[in-house]
Amino acid sequence: YTDALIERWIKEIDTYLVYAGLFSAILTAFNVESYQLLQPASPDPSPPILKHISLQLSSLSYVPPFINSTHPPFSSSGANPTTPSVIPTWAIWLNVFWFSGLVLSLSAASIGILVKQWINEFQSGLFGDSEHIARLRQYRLNNLERCHVGSIVNLIPVLLQGALALFLAGLLALLWNLHRAVAAVTSLFVLAIAVFIVGTTIAPLLTERCAYLSPQS
């Protein structure tokens, strides 16, 4: 029983770590672009300068042998400051969703690494079938159960599912502000997968004969 349980945990964690690594890499690529939306654009000094040049040219007067301008020279201190651009609300929520999803994904990977270290310590020195080894194995197994290591392993896929939900929420927030047709089609697919995940999660609670058992349910 002990060996089968530990082997199952190791296989599950390996799968979670691969998924978390790929998902984090993809989400990081999106975040590199999205965080720039939180930086207001720098005011462009060209319009007031060009306006001043135009006024100076229009005020030129020719008095031989001089050409005079009645408009004062340009002064940067006297230029009207440009109002800084306002960061749109959707851009703020987009970054909230995506960066939160990245944190959850990296947290899941970190927890998985920690659990693998605990399992390695559990397995160290457990060689042979002597009575001493059997007692030591049972002692360590009791410690794992007492510290709820199984529940911690089950927490990893929940964090990854949460990260996926946050990524999809941010993706929809972006698409609905770029192109409504693309956003509508994408929303249908997101809704379909959401219904499937929620349905398969709730189903085991409704009937004992359901095979859709998972840590979330």
Side-chain angles (χ1 to χ4, degrees), residues 103 174 184 192-193:
V103 170
L174 174 64
I193 189 62

Side-chain angles (χ1 to χ4, degrees), residues 16-35:
Y16 298 150
L17 289 177
V18 172
Y19 177 87
L22 293 175
F23 184 80
S24 298
I26 295 172
L27 192 50
T28 299
F30 281 90
N31 287 342
V32 168
E33 299 296 330
S34 67
Y35 88 92

Side-chain angles (χ1 to χ4, degrees), residues 9 12-17 19-20 104-105 107-116 149-163 215-216:
W9 283 352
E12 288 182 358
I13 293 173
D14 288 340
T15 302
Y16 298 150
L17 289 177
Y19 177 87
L104 289 184
S105 179
S107 299
S110 298
I111 293 174
I113 293 173
L114 285 174
V115 174
K116 291 205 69 174
V149 174
S151 299
I152 295 177
V153 174
N154 293 335
L155 176 64
I156 298 176
V158 176
L159 293 177
L160 293 176
Q161 292 287 3
Q216 301 90 288

